[in-house]
Structures are given as structure tokens and as C-alpha cells.
Amino acid sequence: MSLPPKPDFELLFNPKSIALIGASNNIGKWGAIVFLNIKLGGYAGRLHPVNPKEESIFGHKSYARITQIPEPIDLAVIAIPASLTMGAIRDCVEKGVRMAIVITSDFSETGEEGARLEKEMVETARTGGLRLVGPNTMGIFSAASSLTALMPPVRPRKGKVSLVSQSGNIGTQMMAWGEKFGVGFDKYVSSGNEGDLRAEDYVAFFGAVPDTKVVLAYIEGLDDGREFWETSQKITRQKPIIAFKGGKTRAGARAAKSHSGAMAGSREIYESAFRQAGIIWASTTEEMLEWAAAFSYLPLPRGNRVGILTRGGGWGVITADACNEIGLEVPPLEEKLIRALDPVMPVYWSKGNPVDMAASISMDAYLHSLEALIAWEKVDAVISLSGDAGPLSGILSEVKKKAEGIIPAESLEKFAAHIAASRTRVYQRICELIDQYQKPIFAVGRNLVKGKDGPAADFSLPQFRSPERAAQAAGKLYQYFHYLKSVGAV
Amino acid sequence: MSLPPKPDFELLFNPKSIALIGASNNIGKWGAIVFLNIKLGGYAGRLHPVNPKEESIFGHKSYARITQIPEPIDLAVIAIPASLTMGAIRDCVEKGVRMAIVITSDFSETGEEGARLEKEMVETARTGGLRLVGPNTMGIFSAASSLTALMPPVRPRKGKVSLVSQSGNIGTQMMAWGEKFGVGFDKYVSSGNEGDLRAEDYVAFFGAVPDTKVVLAYIEGLDDGREFWETSQKITRQKPIIAFKGGKTRAGARAAKSHSGAMAGSREIYESAFRQAGIIWASTTEEMLEWAAAFSYLPLPRGNRVGILTRGGGWGVITADACNEIGLEVPPLEEKLIRALDPVMPVYWSKGNPVDMAASISMDAYLHSLEALIAWEKVDAVISLSGDAGPLSGILSEVKKKAEGIIPAESLEKFAAHIAASRTRVYQRICELIDQYQKPIFAVGRNLVKGKDGPAADFSLPQFRSPERAAQAAGKLYQYFHYLKSVGAV
């Protein structure tokens, strides 16, 4: 067999025109849902429905065959039963289409007959100059084109992370979680059965794209582990790859086999190969997202020493525990730091690291302490707990709602303005300090002003939901720095 | 020294009258914030501010001393500087108060002088028949009295879980997280420095209270580990205790010492002692809450075999992995189950456990499969992924918002009603199945109708944010069942 034509990822991620083969008006069919997803997602190119039985689909003129569309088609999206796909593929070839997404399932994942059909479809496509995503894929996303050619109705936040997933559900859930975890996406592919294009092709492409700063991969099994390894090893010297392996156990591997047809392979082999290639290995789906947020927006710590700032002693204890448990050091405070912090602290403050502000409400003291910590040459990163306007902000919304006249209206307004200003100030100052000292600050809490709402619109600060998660992320960023150093890349 | 008077926890958790010593009109002082917290929390008893310099506090008549209040006081809450507390304690004794919460800090946690003052205060109180929570406490919560005598503005969801925390911040964060994790609280104590009443006293009380079904404890250090162990061992035969240990590492122990003055003690000793007493050991703060939700509302699985139902193959793989990794079995489907499910499944379904519905949208098929799985005698629990109305529900809200006329208004209404009905039906049916088969169903997803909003108002179904978390919770419930069996308690 001769080499297949080179895939043109520009046509896949930035198509000027799309044909949806199998578009439907029946909301119970994927051909309707995918059509609505593309339209509602704000795709700015031209979308042509193809359905021989309909005049129009949701008001858009429908064509019986893709060959009848009176303009060139960059990308075909196929959502028809498996038995009809061969005809559609031949039509695409006739039309000169070079990239197609085959959403249709019932191919190699369901047995020998499906595998035979899949092989035939891929050969026909390749011979005709057409490359395929899928089959059995849930689709793709592209930030640059606002293209959500997806089965699930996900509208990802745009950003710097690109993801390939051998499970469509996992992939789209990752994007749906993006808002919650502060992760924005550049590109996404649900690679499906990988009858033609495979995970390693997408990873190689993401590695080469300047808009992508972090690569994520959900892997169940690889046909050619060595190629993936070699591709990844080159990329990880430039940008981080975070991978999650499905099918690690007996029950998981059995499920993977019937899911994507993948042979899952030994956990130990994957884990050690991934590690050697500098790939960061996530153990849970939530970790993938948290670390993606951290790698997207924070500089790498250049050592393993952490300063901790807290308003609550217990949180300091938990954070120090979490750091130590993963090999991060929490160095005791030096005398000069104690002298620098003394004037802004309550008399009975801990004089240790974690720096415990002991329920002090002052925002000035918080920011002063944060800068003293991040500026300290003995720490490489800071974990900041509760950098919000504190308990006052919680009371404010209640007082407003209940309007019991507990506080006069004019004090209330001043109070509200004060809290809003405090929040913005904390957010901005954390961003400034990261920039100035080129050390990461891991902020825990969900109440800080969001980048997109606040004045710091062009900066997103990842915020962690618990101190343990912040410590984990700090550990991963340090681990990656350590790897880059070991291969001479920093 | 003679035995101290027996604490009257009824006065602490259900006081008819409270005096707040140190109440303030200055919103920058804790005396103001605690006052507002109690009022805003909806406490129905009488709250009297005590402040010698004010005529009134937020419109309530203020007294110069507690002794001047013209009615008996069940509970005193003290929020004045440490140097003034001895006078307040003497006043409380004179007034005949038997329970007090000493919010004030700067005692034993700050050194020898503080320790001396704390000891003197406790002795004076005990001699006068008064028992103390704290000092250095963030307060208490009681569902029965809607009493939030707390520093932070937390309004916990009411429920079956009681918590004692040696960190006020951790404890109040747990309650604040309650809404998110579906955990309701019965009682809470921030035990502070434990100058008088200690964690083991509160745990013993929670163990004896019928309204409390699950006991949580955040522990940094115990003066008398044996007493805690003996108390706990009796309780864990009746109800679960979930504990989290702060100060497990070198850095954490150092932080704990300066925080609550506690000697953290070896992690290994605590862990093995806790395990022997049947205490469930949580490794992260989030686990505590998730497991509390599971123990609050689900029956215990009577074995370690799990059925998994999913609409997405990848989620099935991850869930099977997560189960196997913690020792839960995922038995292969039997022929009779396959025959029972065949009629409702797509032709190409996996015929395995996980039962993968392969992107089928049907709600009937989902509920049919769920019942077949939970009824199957080879499984002791079911993990159900995405039991929501599926992708359609996501599209619905978008179509409504955008009002692009993509779907005619009358179809839209029918569509919306269908989804709402589906959701309610799924929620109710899961609750019914749990009740009927007396096996737990661990539901993953955040979109099911909430107990308090929906028709199933008197039942709360815990919902897990990821399949890994559901598997973990299933493992802990099974572990507890196994413990009960080993001690002959089931």
C-alpha cells in the first residue's frame, strides 16, 4: 500500500464550508443535534445539510447528495448508518473533499464485520485523497473557527489547551468542565476508532501549533506505541503533555476492548514509557483539568520550596501536609521574613511557614505578606489560601438579600464597593506578583474575580478548589521543570 | 482537683437565650460579625448584646455586663480580648451561666503566658459550674435551633451529619461545602484549643444523639488518645465516624503546633488506631464530605461487586478501573442479563459490565437497564453515570436563550416539559430502586433534580462529581459494612 495523502488539519479545524451528511429535522436523531450544535456554537463558515428526503433542515436548503452542493466543501461530517457510509465516502471523493469526520458507529468496535467495513471505508477514502477522523467519533472543536462539530452540546471556553481523546464522552466532559476549572481550549478531537488518523497524528499536530500551549491526551490503547512515544518525546521539550490512561485494570481493560476496540496494554509499560517521554501522568479526570489550568497560566517553579499563606491555621496544616507528602519542602521562616511581617500581623501570629494570619481580616496585610513570601529567595512558589475579601463578602450578599435594615443603606453601599474593590485588587496584585517575580502563585478559592469579568481580562489565574489540589498542581509543575532540566531544555 | 461539672450540651445546642459578650457595631470587629451571623442565621431564641460602651448593637439594647440582663442566660458567647476574659468568666459564673463559647484567641496557642491564662480561666469556670467551648474557637452550629454562632458567615444545609473540628476554618469550610456535596449538618463544634471540653467529649455526645447519623472529626492532636479510641470504638458499631488527621508530615505537624498548640503525633499510630476503632480515614477534605453524603443517604453494600451503567464507553472504562484499583469487583454480565437488556439496547451494544448504552438517548432504556442491574443478585451496588436527560437538556437551554426560531415555540415547550419530566422521573426512580432493593446506587452527575426542589423533598440522593469519586465512596461504604460484620454488628 502506498503512503496515504498527508492530512490537511487546516481544513479540519478551520473549514470555510462544511457538509453535514445525514442532517435531520428530527430532534431525536444525531443528525439534528450535530446540526444544531454547529449552528448554536457560532460557526461562521457555511454549513450545508445533506439529506435526500428533506427539502430543508431547520430552514437551511438541503441537498440530496454532497456532489450537488454548488461550492467546494472543505470538511464533510458524516452521521448516517454504517451501511450507507461507503456511498457517502465515494461521494466525498467525487466532490474532492479531503477531510471528513465519521461520527457513525457500528464499525470495528462491534466485531469482525464492522472491522472489515471500516478497513474498506478507510482504503476507499485514502485512495481518493480523503483522510478520516473516526469512525465512532463524537467530533471536533476548534476555537479559531468557533466550530463545535460535536454530538454533545458543549461550548468550550476558548484558550490554550488542545486535547485528543480516545473516548468522546471523556473528551467532551473535559471541555464542559473547562469553565469550572478555568481551562480554555484551542482544539479538540475525539479520535474514535482511529480507523485512519490516530492519536499520535493529532498530538504531533498540536505539538506544532503555536496557539496550543498544553497538550492533553486520553488514551485507551495505541497501535504503534513507539511512534507515540517518539512524537511525544520531541514535544515535551517544548510544551507539556498531560496524559490519562483508560483501561489500567482487568475490568477497565475489558471495558476498553468493547468500547474503542483498543487493546489496553499493561499499565506498567504505559506508565514507565510515558514518564520517560516526559509526559505528565494524571490519575483522575479532574487532575487533568486542574493541571491543564496550572500549566496554561503559571510560570514553572524552579525548585521544590513552597511558601504558604493562610488566614486559617487548619488550612495551613493541611497544605503543609499535602506539600510534604509529594516531596515539596515548606522551609521554616527566616528571621528577616519574621521581621518584615511582624508589623502587619496580629501580636500572637505563628512566625512560621505556613504564614498564618490568624483570622486577620486586613487586605493590606494579606497583600503585604504575599509579596514578602513570593519575593523571598528561599521559596520557588507560593500557595495562597483565601485571598478573597474574607467573611465580610459572605455577609454582604445576605444583608442585601434580607434587607432587614440591619445596616443603613449608605454604609451598605460603601461596604459593597469596598469588597468589590478588594477582590479586584487581590486578583490584579496576584497576577502582577507572578509576572514580576516569575514564580507561580497557586490561589485556592472560588471567589476571586474571574479574568473575563474583571479588569484583568487578558490574564486568567487558575484557582484551585482545595489546598490539596493546589499542592498537587505545584508538584506537577515542579516535576515538569525538573524534567526539562534533566534533558537540558531549560 | 475534683471532677468538673457535667457539660449540658442541650444548653449549648438549643439555648433559649444567648448573651454575646463583646458585641459591637463596628463591622470590622468579630463582635459585630458574630452578632450578625446569629441574627441572619435565623436563631429564634433571644440574643442579648453585652458591651459597656454602647447603648444598643444594631438596634438591640446592649447591657454593660451579662449580670444586668433581666432573664436567665443559657449560653454565653465571648468575643473580647484575652486580657478581659477572666472578668467575663466571673460575670458568667455570677449570672449562673453553665455553657460558654470562648471565641477569643491569644491563649495556649501563643505560648506560656497564654497557656497560664487559659488554665486559670478554665479552673475559674469549672469551679463556678461553667463549661467552655474553646478558647480560640470559631463557634458552633445547631440545626434544631437554626443557631449559627460562628465567625464565618456560613448557613449550613440542615441534615444528619455532625462535625467536630480542631480547626475552625476547616470546619466552617466543610459546612459551606455542604450545599455543593449534598451534605446536611445536624451539629458542629469548632473545638479550638480544647482548654476545657475536648474532641472526645463532642464525639461521645454526637454518638448518643439520634438526629446524628454520621460523625465527622478533623483532628490535629489528642491529649488522651485512648479515651478518644474507646469512645469511637463504641460509636462505630452504631454509626460511622469519618476522621481526617491534620499534621501528618513534618511541615504539617510544625504548623499544627503553632495553630492549635496540638502535638500532632505519628501518622502511623493515628492511622492504625483509627482503623482498629472502625473509624473511616479520609485523605483529603473533599473526601470527608463526599463520604458523609454517601453514608447519610445510601444503604451499605453487602458485598464488593459493582454494576456500572453508562452512556459513554470511556466513562465505563474509567469507572471499572477505579473500582478494581480499590478492590471492588466488576463481574462480567451473565447470559440472563444480556437477554434482559438486548431488547432495549442498540444492536451493537457491548454486552458487558460496564453496561454501555452507546450514546442511546432513550430514558426508558436507561431506567430499564438500571433496574435490571440493581436487581441482579451478582452485584451489591450500582454506579450510574449520566442518568440525566442527556444531551438534549443541554441544547434546550441554549435554544431558549438564543431564540433564533430554530425550533417552533410549541415544540420547544413540549421538549422542555419532556426533559423536566424525565429528570424528575430518573431521580424518583433511582430513589425507589435503592429503597426497593436495599442496595446503594451511586449517581454521577450534577444535573439531576435536587431533593429540595423536586417532588422527592424528603429524600436526598448524593451525586458524585466524577466516576472515580463514586467508586471511592462505594469502596468506603463496603469497607464499613465489612467492619460491622467483623465485629458482629450486622
Side-chain angles (χ1 to χ4, degrees):
Chain A
M1 203 171 91
S2 59
L3 275 178
K6 205 170 171 313
D8 188 339
F9 286 111
E10 190 58 28
L11 296 177
L12 179 64
F13 291 109
N14 293 307
K16 291 193 183 61
S17 57
I18 300 176
L20 175 57
I21 299 174
S24 170
N25 284 310
N26 179 348
I27 191 74
K29 295 205 163 184
W30 289 112
I33 296 175
V34 173
F35 187 90
L36 292 174
N37 275 338
I38 296 174
K39 291 300 287 181
L40 293 166
Y43 172 61
R46 291 172 300 280
L47 173 63
H48 302 286
V50 176
N51 181 328
K53 293 179 192 156
E54 302 277 358
E55 290 284 302
S56 69
I57 303 292
F58 298 115
H60 292 66
K61 177 177 169 40
S62 175
Y63 297 89
R65 289 176 60 188
I66 190 172
T67 48
Q68 294 168 352
I69 300 173
E71 73 156 339
I73 293 298
D74 285 350
L75 175 66
V77 180
I78 300 175
I80 50 177
S83 57
L84 304 175
T85 49
M86 277 304 296
I89 292 289
R90 282 194 202 98
D91 276 7
C92 286
V93 168
E94 187 184 332
K95 178 71 183 168
V97 178
R98 291 180 50 214
M99 296 297 286
I101 299 169
V102 185
I103 286 178
T104 308
S105 49
D106 203 3
F107 286 100
S108 63
E109 81 280 12
T110 58
E112 272 180 37
E113 173 55 22
R116 199 196 49 72
L117 192 62
E118 182 172 306
K119 194 156 174 266
E120 194 186 333
M121 172 177 74
V122 170
E123 277 172 12
T124 305
R126 285 180 170 189
T127 308
L130 173 65
R131 299 299 303 264
L132 306 180
V133 177
N136 191 23
T137 167
M138 290 187 118
I140 69 147
F141 165 72
S142 170
S145 297
S146 298
L147 176 58
T148 53
L150 293 165
M151 290 165 75
V154 175
R155 310 285 168 255
R157 179 173 168 169
K158 295 179 182 184
K160 304 174 183 179
V161 176
S162 287
L163 164 66
V164 57
S165 177
Q166 289 183 337
S167 157
N169 287 81
I170 304 284
T172 41
Q173 180 71 66
M174 296 283 119
M175 289 192 296
W177 276 350
E179 196 60 52
K180 199 157 68 171
F181 286 91
V183 176
F185 287 88
D186 180 30
K187 294 174 179 66
Y188 164 62
V189 176
S190 153
S191 64
N193 289 359
E194 303 188 353
D196 182 15
L197 293 166
R198 298 165 308 163
E200 43 270 47
D201 298 314
Y202 305 115
V203 167
F205 176 66
F206 296 156
V209 174
D211 286 352
T212 296
K213 303 293 182 205
V214 182
V215 179
L216 303 189
Y218 170 83
I219 301 293
E220 288 188 356
L222 296 168
D223 282 338
D224 189 346
R226 174 143 297 272
E227 189 188 329
F228 187 89
W229 190 86
E230 280 170 4
T231 301
S232 300
Q233 204 200 20
K234 280 177 210 142
I235 295 169
T236 55
R237 288 162 185 244
Q238 316 294 327
K239 53 182 93 168
I241 301 179
I242 304 169
F244 182 98
K245 173 72 176 64
K248 287 178 281 193
T249 65
R250 199 164 28 83
R254 208 173 59 221
K257 175 114 184 59
S258 74
H259 168 224
S260 57
M263 292 302 295
S266 144
R267 173 190 185 145
E268 288 67 30
I269 292 171
Y270 273 95
E271 192 163 356
S272 90
F274 278 21
R275 289 234 160 100
Q276 262 185 52
I279 294 172
I280 294 140
W281 172 276
S283 295
T284 68
T285 45
E286 290 175 288
E287 279 178 0
M288 278 189 91
L289 271 291
E290 281 160 354
W291 301 349
F295 277 107
S296 289
Y297 299 113
L298 295 175
L300 299 178
R302 302 178 70 85
N304 75 337
R305 301 162 306 172
V306 177
I308 299 169
L309 179 59
T310 179
R311 289 183 202 273
W315 287 115
V317 172
I318 285 179
T319 313
D321 275 337
C323 285
N324 262 198
E325 277 176 350
I326 55 171
L328 299 176
E329 291 300 320
V330 185
L333 275 200
E334 279 179 323
E335 193 53 39
K336 69 171 178 185
L337 262 283
I338 295 174
R339 276 199 310 273
L341 294 175
D342 249 340
V344 299
M345 287 292 183
V347 283
Y348 44 82
W349 79 286
S350 67
K351 299 185 172 58
N353 180 20
V355 173
D356 178 2
M357 300 184 64
S360 150
I361 302 180
S362 160
M363 199 54 61
D364 289 331
Y366 167 80
L367 291 176
H368 180 94
S369 309
L370 185 62
E371 175 154 17
L373 263 182
I374 196 78
W376 184 27
E377 72 280 3
K378 290 275 165 67
V379 302
D380 307 295
V382 167
I383 298 178
S384 163
L385 310 173
S386 70
D388 195 359
L392 293 180
S393 56
I395 284 191
L396 178 66
S397 62
E398 272 190 316
V399 171
K400 272 184 168 170
K401 257 187 293 184
K402 298 205 176 178
E404 291 179 38
I406 289 172
I407 299 181
E410 69 270 22
S411 339
L412 201 61
E413 265 170 44
K414 264 164 82 181
F415 183 30
H418 171 76
I419 287 172
S422 291
R423 281 191 166 159
T424 305
R425 190 169 151 227
V426 167
Y427 185 94
Q428 282 183 318
R429 191 70 190 126
I430 292 178
C431 295
E432 282 167 19
L433 290 173
I434 291 170
D435 198 46
Q436 182 181 344
Y437 293 95
Q438 281 300 302
K439 296 181 189 176
I441 297 176
F442 297 84
V444 178
R446 303 284 298 165
N447 297 322
L448 290 180
V449 62
K450 294 254 176 66
K452 61 172 187 171
D453 307 322
D458 55 346
F459 191 96
S460 274
L461 182 69
Q463 288 174 260
F464 299 87
R465 290 190 287 178
S466 75
E468 294 103 323
R469 290 160 177 253
Q472 280 284 348
K476 289 298 149 180
L477 261 63
Y478 172 65
Q479 179 189 318
Y480 183 60
F481 173 79
H482 190 74
Y483 165 77
L484 289 177
K485 217 169 144 189
S486 75
V487 298
V490 284
Chain B
M1 204 171 92
S2 59
L3 277 177
K6 205 170 172 313
D8 188 339
F9 287 112
E10 190 58 27
L11 296 177
L12 180 65
F13 290 111
N14 293 307
K16 291 194 183 62
S17 57
I18 300 175
L20 174 56
I21 299 174
S24 170
N25 284 310
N26 178 348
I27 191 75
K29 295 206 163 184
W30 289 112
I33 296 174
V34 173
F35 187 90
L36 292 173
N37 276 337
I38 295 174
K39 292 301 287 179
L40 293 166
Y43 171 60
R46 292 173 300 281
L47 174 62
H48 303 287
V50 176
N51 182 328
K53 294 180 192 155
E54 301 278 357
E55 290 284 304
S56 69
I57 302 292
F58 296 117
H60 292 64
K61 177 176 167 40
S62 174
Y63 297 90
R65 290 175 59 187
I66 190 174
T67 48
Q68 293 167 352
I69 300 173
E71 73 157 338
I73 293 298
D74 285 349
L75 175 65
V77 180
I78 301 174
I80 51 178
S83 57
L84 304 176
T85 48
M86 276 305 296
I89 292 291
R90 283 194 201 98
D91 275 8
C92 287
V93 168
E94 188 185 329
K95 178 71 182 169
V97 178
R98 292 179 50 214
M99 296 297 286
I101 299 169
V102 185
I103 286 179
T104 308
S105 51
D106 202 3
F107 285 102
S108 64
E109 82 279 11
T110 58
E112 272 179 38
E113 173 54 23
R116 200 196 50 73
L117 192 61
E118 182 173 306
K119 193 155 174 266
E120 193 187 333
M121 173 177 73
V122 171
E123 277 172 12
T124 304
R126 286 180 168 187
T127 308
L130 173 66
R131 300 299 304 263
L132 305 180
V133 178
N136 192 23
T137 168
M138 289 187 122
I140 68 148
F141 165 73
S142 170
S145 297
S146 298
L147 175 58
T148 51
L150 293 165
M151 289 165 76
V154 175
R155 310 284 168 254
R157 178 173 169 172
K158 295 178 182 184
K160 304 174 182 179
V161 176
S162 286
L163 163 66
V164 56
S165 177
Q166 290 185 335
S167 158
N169 288 80
I170 303 286
T172 41
Q173 181 70 67
M174 296 283 117
M175 289 194 296
W177 276 350
E179 197 60 53
K180 197 158 67 171
F181 286 90
V183 176
F185 288 87
D186 179 30
K187 294 174 180 65
Y188 164 64
V189 177
S190 153
S191 64
N193 289 359
E194 303 189 354
D196 182 14
L197 293 166
R198 297 165 309 165
E200 43 271 45
D201 298 313
Y202 305 115
V203 167
F205 176 67
F206 296 156
V209 174
D211 286 352
T212 295
K213 304 293 183 206
V214 183
V215 178
L216 303 188
Y218 170 83
I219 301 294
E220 288 188 356
L222 297 168
D223 282 338
D224 188 346
R226 174 143 296 272
E227 189 188 328
F228 186 88
W229 189 86
E230 281 169 3
T231 301
S232 301
Q233 204 200 19
K234 281 178 210 143
I235 295 169
T236 55
R237 288 162 184 243
Q238 316 294 328
K239 53 183 94 169
I241 301 178
I242 305 169
F244 182 98
K245 174 69 176 69
K248 289 177 281 194
T249 64
R250 199 163 30 84
R254 208 173 58 222
K257 176 116 182 58
S258 74
H259 168 225
S260 57
M263 292 303 296
S266 145
R267 172 188 187 147
E268 287 69 29
I269 291 173
Y270 273 95
E271 192 162 358
S272 91
F274 278 22
R275 290 233 159 100
Q276 262 186 51
I279 294 172
I280 294 139
W281 173 275
S283 295
T284 68
T285 45
E286 289 174 288
E287 279 179 359
M288 279 190 91
L289 271 290
E290 282 160 355
W291 302 348
F295 277 106
S296 290
Y297 299 113
L298 295 175
L300 299 178
R302 300 178 71 84
N304 74 337
R305 300 163 307 172
V306 178
I308 299 169
L309 178 60
T310 179
R311 289 182 202 273
W315 287 116
V317 172
I318 286 180
T319 313
D321 274 338
C323 285
N324 262 199
E325 278 177 351
I326 55 170
L328 298 176
E329 291 300 320
V330 185
L333 274 200
E334 280 180 324
E335 193 52 38
K336 70 170 179 186
L337 261 286
I338 294 173
R339 276 200 309 276
L341 295 175
D342 248 342
V344 299
M345 287 292 183
V347 283
Y348 45 81
W349 80 287
S350 65
K351 299 185 173 56
N353 181 19
V355 173
D356 180 1
M357 301 184 62
S360 151
I361 302 180
S362 160
M363 199 53 61
D364 289 331
Y366 167 80
L367 290 177
H368 181 94
S369 309
L370 186 61
E371 176 155 17
L373 262 183
I374 196 79
W376 184 27
E377 72 281 1
K378 290 274 165 69
V379 303
D380 307 293
V382 167
I383 298 177
S384 163
L385 310 173
S386 71
D388 197 358
L392 293 180
S393 56
I395 284 192
L396 178 67
S397 62
E398 271 190 317
V399 171
K400 273 184 168 173
K401 257 185 294 180
K402 297 205 176 178
E404 290 179 38
I406 290 173
I407 299 180
E410 69 270 22
S411 340
L412 202 60
E413 264 170 47
K414 264 164 80 181
F415 183 31
H418 170 78
I419 287 172
S422 292
R423 280 191 168 161
T424 304
R425 189 167 151 229
V426 167
Y427 185 93
Q428 282 183 318
R429 191 72 189 125
I430 293 178
C431 295
E432 282 167 18
L433 290 174
I434 291 171
D435 199 45
Q436 182 182 344
Y437 292 95
Q438 280 301 302
K439 295 181 189 176
I441 297 176
F442 297 84
V444 179
R446 302 284 299 165
N447 298 321
L448 291 180
V449 60
K450 294 258 174 67
K452 59 171 188 172
D453 307 323
D458 55 347
F459 192 97
S460 273
L461 182 69
Q463 287 174 262
F464 298 88
R465 289 189 287 177
S466 76
E468 294 103 324
R469 288 160 178 253
Q472 281 284 347
K476 288 298 149 179
L477 262 62
Y478 172 64
Q479 178 190 317
Y480 184 59
F481 174 79
H482 190 74
Y483 165 76
L484 289 179
K485 216 169 145 190
S486 75
V487 298
V490 284

